[in-house]
Amino acid sequence: MSTPYPFTAVVGQTDLRLALLLNAVSPAVGGVLVRGEKGTAKSTAVRALSALLPQVEVVPGCRFSCAPVAPDPDCPDGPHGGGPGGARPARMVELPVGASEDRLVGALDIERALAEGVKAFEPGLLADAHRGILYVDEVNLLHDHLVDVLLDAAAMGASYVEREGVSVRHAARFLLVGTMNPEEGELRPQLLDRFGLTVEVAASREPAQRVEVVRRRLAYEDDPAGFAARWSGDESEVRARVVAARALLPQVRLGDTALLQIAATCAAFEVDGMRADIVMARTATALAAWAGRTTVLKEDVRQAALLALPHRRRRNPFDAPGLDEDKLDEILDRFPDEEPQDEPDPEPDPGTDPEPDPDGGPENPQGPDDGGGPDGGGGVPPQGGGPQDAQPPAEPAEAPAEAPEGAPQSPAQDAGGPEQAAVRAAEPFRTKMLSVPGLGEGAAGRRSRARTAHGRTTGAQRPRGQLTKLHLAATVHAAAPHQKARGRAGRGLVIRKDDLRQATREGREGNLVLFVVDASGSMAARQRMSAVKGAVLSLLLDAYQRRDKVGLVTFRGAAAELALPPTSSVDAAAARLEKLPTGGRTPLGSGLLKAREVLRIERLRDPSRRPLLVVVTDGRATSAGAVGGDPRELTARSARLLAADGVTSVVVDCESGPVRLGLAGVLAADLGGPAVTLDGLRADSLAGLVKDVRTAVTTPATHTTRRAA
C-alpha cells in the first residue's frame, strides 16, 4: 500500500482543509464539494483526510460495519449479539465515475435467489463507505442513475436493493466528498444541494508558494515514507484535536442570537428550502468546537455562511457561485453576539503559530498538486473566513480588445464593415425539445431515444458479460422446457446460466449539440444580436438540463472558428457567447464546413454520441472565405454534405424586417431539417416544427413551404 501524502503538508487551501476538518469533527454537516481548476491538490487533500479520522468500532465479521453498541437491526449479516467489538481505521471509499449500479449498491446472485430462494448478497461501495468517507472524483461526470442512488442513500441513510421480489436493506451513512472541475460541466441541482459545504480552490500566483509546491512534491516522490515521517508529529496533533473537538461538540451552545443570524442570512440570500439553515447551524457549532469554545459566536456564523451558502444561491447553471461578503456583514451586524459563558481558554491554534518547516523550505507549506494561498505551518487551517483568509481566484484571461468603430480590419474580417463590440444576451426562456430521430446507444441523458441501462423494458436478450437487469419472464420461459430433463423434483426451478435473460431497456441519451452562430455584420444590430444570443443561451440551458455536450462554431469576416470545442461545460459556452463580437462578411459555407470537420473528429472520439446541429443565421452568404468560389453555391454544397453524413440539423432563422428573403428556409431544406424563427422558439407552434425532427427529415420541403407562407 502506498504512503499517502500527509494532510498537514498541504500548503494553503485554507478553506478546503477547514471544510474537510469540520466534517471530521461533525459528520452531520453533510460533506464537502470541492470546485476548482485542475492541479490544485483537491484529490490529494481529500485522500489524506481519512488518516486524521478516529478509529471506528465495528462488530467483528460484519460486512456492513455495524457498531457494537447499536447494531443495525436490519443488517443482512445480523442479528448481532452483544459481544465485544473490534476497532479498525475509518475507510475512504472511492466511487469511480464509470462504475455500474451493481458495484455501487451491491449485487444479488440471481441464479441462487431463483433456484434456492436465498438472499446471496455481495455488498457494494455504499456498504464499504458506511461510517466512513465516500469520495467521488469528477463528481459532475457521474452518470444520472448513480446520482439517483446517491441521493436516495444520502437522504435516507440506507441503501435499498430491490430485484425481482428479492429485497435487501442496509445502513449507509457516510461523509460524501466530491471534487470537480467546473470546466467539464456542472452538477445536477438535487445533488449539489446534498453537499453540506462547498469550497472554491485555485492555484496560487505567488512564485515562492509555487516553488514550495514543487519542492514538497519532489521530496514526497523521492521518499514517501520519510516525507510522511517528518510530518507525523503535525498529523498526530491534528488527529488529537479532531478527537477533542468531537468530544466537546455536544456541549456547544447554539444561542437564540446565533439562530437569528443564521435564519436572517439564509432569508436575505434567498436560498431554497430549510437545508441551508440546518447546515449552517451544524457548521457553526462544529467551528466553535474546533476552536475549543462552547458558545457559537458571530464569526462562526459568518464562516459557516461562506462555506454553506454559495452553491445554494445559484438560480441557473450560468450563475457564478459566490456570496456578497459586505451584505453578509451587514446582516450579521444587526444581531450583536451574546455574552460568552465562562470557559477555559482554547489551546493555541497550531495554524497561527507555525513550527519550523520540516522540509527546510519557507513557511506556507504547499500541497503536491496545488498552489493555494498561505496559512499557518503544520497545515492546520485557522478559523476565519474574511478576505484575508480566502484564496484569490485566478484572474481570467482578458478578452482581446475590440477594434473601435471605423478602425482598419484584420484579414479575417474582410470589407464587410467594422467589428462591433459584444452585446449582452437577452433574458433566456424555456424552449421546446429538439431530438435526434432513431434509437441511439449514447451516454445516458434526457434528449433522444436510446437503448440504456435504465428506462422502460422493451424486450430480452442473452446477457453480454455480467447480468445486471434480469428479465424474469424470459428467464422462466427459457428454463421451463428443460425441467424434466434436468430432473426437477422440488418446487423450485432448476436454473442454468444459459437460461438467464437480460432485460433490454429504452430510455434517453445525451447528444452533442453543436451550435453554428452567424456573427457577421448582417447580425450586428444590437437588439437583433441580443435576441440571437438570448435564444442560443436558452438552448444552452436546455442542453444543460438534458445532460448534453455542447460546442460552438462562429463565422464572420473571411473565416469560421471553433470558439468552444465540444465540452460538458455549458456555462463555458455561455461565457464564450457573451463575449462574442460581430462584424464583417458572412462566410456561411465556411461555418458549415468547420462544423462538419468538428463532427467528424468527435465521431472518432465518441462514436456512440449522436450530434444535433443548430445553425443560427439569417441564411445570407456573402463570402466564400479561403475556399473561394460563389458563396451561395459553397453554402448549398456544404449543407448537402452534412445531410449526406446523416447529421440532424435545425436552422434558427434570425432574419428580421418587413421584407424577408427566406434564405434560412432554403438552407434548412439543403440540410434536411426544419427552420424555426426566433419567435417560434417561444411559441407552442414550435412543437409542430421540431419536437420530432424525424418528420422534418422525411419532409423538409413542408417546413420550407410553411416558413415561406
Side-chain angles (χ1 to χ4, degrees), residues 570-595:
V570 178
D571 54 342
R576 301 288 176 90
L577 180 72
E578 190 70 25
K579 298 177 181 179
L580 179 65
T582 57
R585 292 184 181 272
T586 312
L588 177 54
S590 297
L592 296 177
L593 289 177
K594 172 63 74 172

Side-chain angles (χ1 to χ4, degrees), residues 535-607:
V536 178
L537 197 63
S538 303
L539 292 168
L540 283 171
L541 182 58
D542 180 70
Y544 164 78
Q545 294 167 341
R546 301 192 187 280
R547 314 300 289 174
D548 295 315
K549 288 180 70 174
V550 297
L552 179 63
V553 172
T554 63
F555 58 92
R556 64 188 180 94
E561 66 171 337
L562 180 60
L564 181 71
T567 175
S568 297
S569 180
V570 178
D571 54 342
R576 301 288 176 90
L577 180 72
E578 190 70 25
K579 298 177 181 179
L580 179 65
T582 57
R585 292 184 181 272
T586 312
L588 177 54
S590 297
L592 296 177
L593 289 177
K594 172 63 74 172
R596 184 170 184 253
E597 176 65 15
V598 171
L599 294 179
R600 184 188 66 82
I601 295 173
E602 285 301 308
R603 194 176 297 115
L604 296 174
R605 292 175 176 170
D606 190 357

